[in-house]
C-alpha cells in the first residue's frame, strides 16, 4: 500500500528505486558491489571474522569458568551463551551468504543488511525477552564488523553493476532488472556520507538530521536527491521496498502505485530537462543586469571535488572543508606530507583559480571518529570545536598550517579560520601562522603567500566585525552556524528544524552588518553557508550588497540564472524593507 513520510528537503530532484536499509552501526561500514569472482573470498571474510569472535567468547568463557558467582555473575555466562547461539545461527550466515552471492554486496554491507532483516523479526515478537535479544544481535554484529575491519578489501564499484535509470516498464514489470538503490538509515555521520561518494546510491533518506547538518551538506554535494528528518522511515520502509524520494518537497513515497510512479517519473524527466537547460549558462559570466560582477565559488569536501567545481563553472573554491581529510581514521591524523599532497591536489585541480582552505573544523556534528563520538560533551556545538580544538593542540595545528602554506607554492591559496570569537584567539592564531612559516624557513622548505580570512559564524564575531577587520584580509560568513548560534537552534535536530530560519531579522541584520562593514573598508567578503546556494535568497543577498557566493557546485548555474535576471541596484531598497520587517519571510514569499 502506498504511503508517504514527510521530512526535510535536502538535495533536489527525484530518485526512484529500491530501498537498501542500513542498520545504524557504530562501526563505519563500507557499501560497494564486489565482482562475481570475489564472492567466495568475501564469504570467507565474514566467516573468519565470525570465528574470531566465537573464539574470543570461548576464551572468555574459559577464563571465567573457575570464578565464583560474584566475579562472574550468572547473567554474564548466560549472555555469552546467547551471543554464541546468535553467532552460530543459520539464518544469519545463510542470509549473509545470500546478500553476497545474489546481490554482490561486500561482506560488511551483507552483514548489516541481514542484521536489519533479523532485527525486524525480533521487533515483531510477542515475547519481551526475545524482543530484547535484538540488542545482543546488534552487539555481536558490531563485534564481527570490528573483527573484519583489519581485513577490509578496497572500496570499489564493480563494473558488472552499472546503474542505469529504469524505464517505467522496468519498474512496473520486471523486478530483477538493475534499478537504482536508495539508502534508508536512521542516521548517517558526515564520514559515512563521504564514503558514499564513491558508491552507487541514487538517493538518501534518514530519520534524523537538520537541513544544514553536515550529513545533509555532504548529501547535497553528492547532488543526488535526499531527505533528512523523515522520522521512522528506517522502521517503516522494508529492505527492497520500492521508494521514491522527492528531494524538492522533502517527501519519501513508499510502495508507490503505478499512477504515482508515472507522475514522479514525469517530474523526474522535467527536472532533468531543466538542468540540461541551465548548462547553457556555463560559460556566461555572472553579471547582473546593471553590470555588477558576481563571484560564484564552490564549497568542496575533498581535493577530488575540485574538478567538479571547475566543470560546474566555479571561479574558485570559497570553502574547502579540510576536516573531511581528518575523519574516520581511527584517531590517526593525516601527517604534514599527506595533507600537503591533498591541498596541492585541490590547488592544482583548480587550474590557477583560488582555493580557500579552511583549517580543521571538527567537533559538534563532525566527530573525527567513533572514539570522539563516545566522548562527546553535553553541548558539542558549544564545546571544543574548530579553532578552539586547533589552538588546544598546537602540534596538530602547526602541521596543518605548514601543509597549507606549502600547498600555496602551487597556486593561489586563501587560509580561512573557523569559529573565532575573541581578539585573543585571533592573535594566538596569527602567532601560530607566523610560527609555521618560521618552522618551514628553518627546514628550508618552500611555501607560498596566503591571504588570511576568518569565518563569521558566531553572533559575537558579527557584532565585533571591526575588530576582525583589523587582522584579516577577508571574511567569509558561515550562515549555517550563524543561524544556529543566533537563534539557539541545533542545526542537526529535526524537532526544531521549523524554527531554523535564515530570514529571521536578527540573522539578516548580522549578515548585512558584516557585508556593509567589509564593503566600507574595501575588504572582500563572501558567504559560504547554505544560504549562498538557495536561489530563493539570491536576490535578497544581492540587495544586501553581497557580491561573492560560495556553494555546492551543483547549485552554481541555478544561482547564476538568478544573478543574470537581477538588477542589484534596484534590489537595495527592497532588501532594506525586508530586513525592517518583523517577519521578513512573509514579504519574501509575496515578492
Ligand atoms: C557555516 O557554518 O555556515 C559553514 C559554512 O561552515 P560549516 O557548515 O562547515 O559549519
Ligand atoms: Mg560553520
Amino acid at each position: 500500500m502506498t504511503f508517504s513520510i514527510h521530512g526535510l528537503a535536502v538535495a533536489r530532484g527525484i530518485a526512484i528505486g529500491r530501498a537498501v536499509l542500513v542498520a545504524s552501526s557504530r562501526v563505519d561500514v563500507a557499501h560497494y558491489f564486489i565482482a562475481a569472482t570475489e564472492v567466495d573470498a568475501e564469504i570467507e571474510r565474514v566467516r573468519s571474522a565470525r570465528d574470531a569472535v566465537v573464539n574470543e567468547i570461548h576464551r572468555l568463557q574459559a577464563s571465567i569458568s573457575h570464578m565464583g558467582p560474584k566475579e562472574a555473575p550468572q547473567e554474564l555466562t548466560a549472555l555469552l551463551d546467547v551471543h554464541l547461539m546468535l553467532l552460530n545461527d543459520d539464518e544469519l550466515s545463510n542470509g549473509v551468504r545470500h546478500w553476497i552471492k545474489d546481490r554482490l554486496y561486500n561482506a560488511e554491507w551483507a552483514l548489516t543488511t541481514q542484521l536489519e532483516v533479523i532485527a525486524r523479526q525480533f521487533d515483531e515478537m510477542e515475547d519481551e525477552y526475545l524482543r530484547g535479544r535484538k540488542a545482543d544481535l546488534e552487539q555481536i554484529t558490531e563485534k564481527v564488523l570490528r573483527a573484519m575491519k583489519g581485513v577490509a578489501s578496497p572500496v570499489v564499484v564493480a563494473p558488472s553493476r552499472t546503474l542505469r535509470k529504469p524505464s517505467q516498464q522496468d519498474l512496473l514489470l520486471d523486478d530483477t532488472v538493475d534499478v537504482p538503490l536508495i539508502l534508508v538509515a536512521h542516521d548517517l555521520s558526515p564520514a559515512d556520507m563521504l564514503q558514499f561518494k564513491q558508491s552507487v546510491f541514487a538517493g538518501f533518506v534518514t530519520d534524523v538530521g537538520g537541513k544544514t547538518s553536515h550529513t545533509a551538506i555532504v548529501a547535497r554535494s553528492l547532488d543526488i536527491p535526499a531527505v533528512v528528518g523523515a522520522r521512522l522511515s528506517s522502521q517503516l520502509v522494508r529492505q527492497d521496498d520500492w521508494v521514491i524520494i522527492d528531494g524538492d518537497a522533502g517527501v519519501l513515497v513508499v510502495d508507490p502505485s503505478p499512477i504515482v510512479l508515472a507522475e514522479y517519473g514525469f517530474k523526474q524527466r522535467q527536472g532533468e530537462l531543466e538542468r540540461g537547460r541551465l548548462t547553457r549558462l556555463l560559460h556566461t559570466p555572472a553579471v547582473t543586469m546593471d553590470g555588477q560582477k558576481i563571484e560564484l565559488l564552490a564549497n568542496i569536501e575533498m581535493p577530488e571535488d575540485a574538478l567538479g567545481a571547475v566543470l560546474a563553472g566555479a571561479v574558485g573554491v570559497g570553502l574547502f572543508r579540510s576536516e573531511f581529510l581528518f575523519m574516520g581514521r581511527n584517531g590517526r591524523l593525516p601527517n604534514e606530507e599527506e595533507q600537503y599532497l591533498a591541498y596541492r591536489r585541490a590547488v592544482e585541480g583548480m587550474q590557477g583559480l583560488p582555493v580557500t582552505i579552511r583549517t580543521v573544523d571538527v567537533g559538534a556534528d563532525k566527530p573525527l571518529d567513533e572514539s570522539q563520538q563516545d566522548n562527546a560533551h553535553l553541548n558539542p556545538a558549544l564545546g571544543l570545536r574548530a579553532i578552539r580544538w586547533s589552538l588546544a593542540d598546537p602540534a596538530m595545528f602547526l602541521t596543518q598550517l605548514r601543509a597549507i602554506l606549502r600547498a600555496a607554492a602551487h597556486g593561489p591559496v586563501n587560509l580561512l579560520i573557523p569559529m573565532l570569537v575573541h581578539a585573543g584567539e585571533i592573535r594566538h592564531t596569527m602567532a601560530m601562522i607566523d610560527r609555521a612559516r618560521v618552522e618551514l624557513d628553518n627546514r628550508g622548505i618552500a611555501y607560498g603567500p596566503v591571504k588570511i580570512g576568518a569565518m563569521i559564524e558566531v553572533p559575537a564575531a558579527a557584532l565585533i566585525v571591526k575588530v576582525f577587520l583589523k587582522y584579516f584580509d577577508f571574511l567569509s560568513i558561515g550562515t549555517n552556524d550563524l543561524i544556529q548560534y543566533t537563534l539557539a537552534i541545533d542545526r542537526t535536530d529535526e524537532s526544531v528544524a521549523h524554527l531554523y530560519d535564515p530570514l529571521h531579522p536578527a540573522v539578516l541584520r548580522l549578515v548585512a552588518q558584516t557585508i556593509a562593514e567589509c564593503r566600507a573598508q574595501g575588504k572582500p567578503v563572501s558567504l559560504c553557508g547554505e544560504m549562498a546556494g538557495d536561489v530563493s535568497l539570491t536576490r535578497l543577498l544581492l540587495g544586501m550588497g553581497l557580491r561573492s557566493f560560495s556553494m555546492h557546485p551543483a547549485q552554481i548555474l541555478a544561482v547564476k540564472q538568478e544573478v543574470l535576471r537581477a538588477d542589484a541596484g534596484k534590489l537595495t531598497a527592497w532588501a532594506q524593507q525586508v530586513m525592517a520587517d518583523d517577519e521578513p519571510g512573509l514579504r519574501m514569499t509575496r515578492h
Side-chain angles (χ1 to χ4, degrees), residues 506-546:
V507 173
L508 295 183
R509 211 166 297 167
L510 293 172
V511 172
Q513 278 171 17
T514 306
I515 297 170
E517 194 55 47
C518 285
R519 287 183 64 136
Q521 297 200 26
K523 292 248 170 125
V525 58
S526 187
L527 191 150
C528 63
E530 297 298 291
M531 280 177 83
D534 183 341
V535 289
S536 70
L537 302 175
T538 310
R539 294 156 67 82
L540 179 64
L541 292 170
L542 287 170
M544 287 160 76
L546 189 71

Side-chain angles (χ1 to χ4, degrees), residues 358 361 385 457 481 491:
R358 181 176 70 182
D361 178 6
R385 179 188 165 182
E457 49 186 348
D481 279 312
R491 64 194 264 195

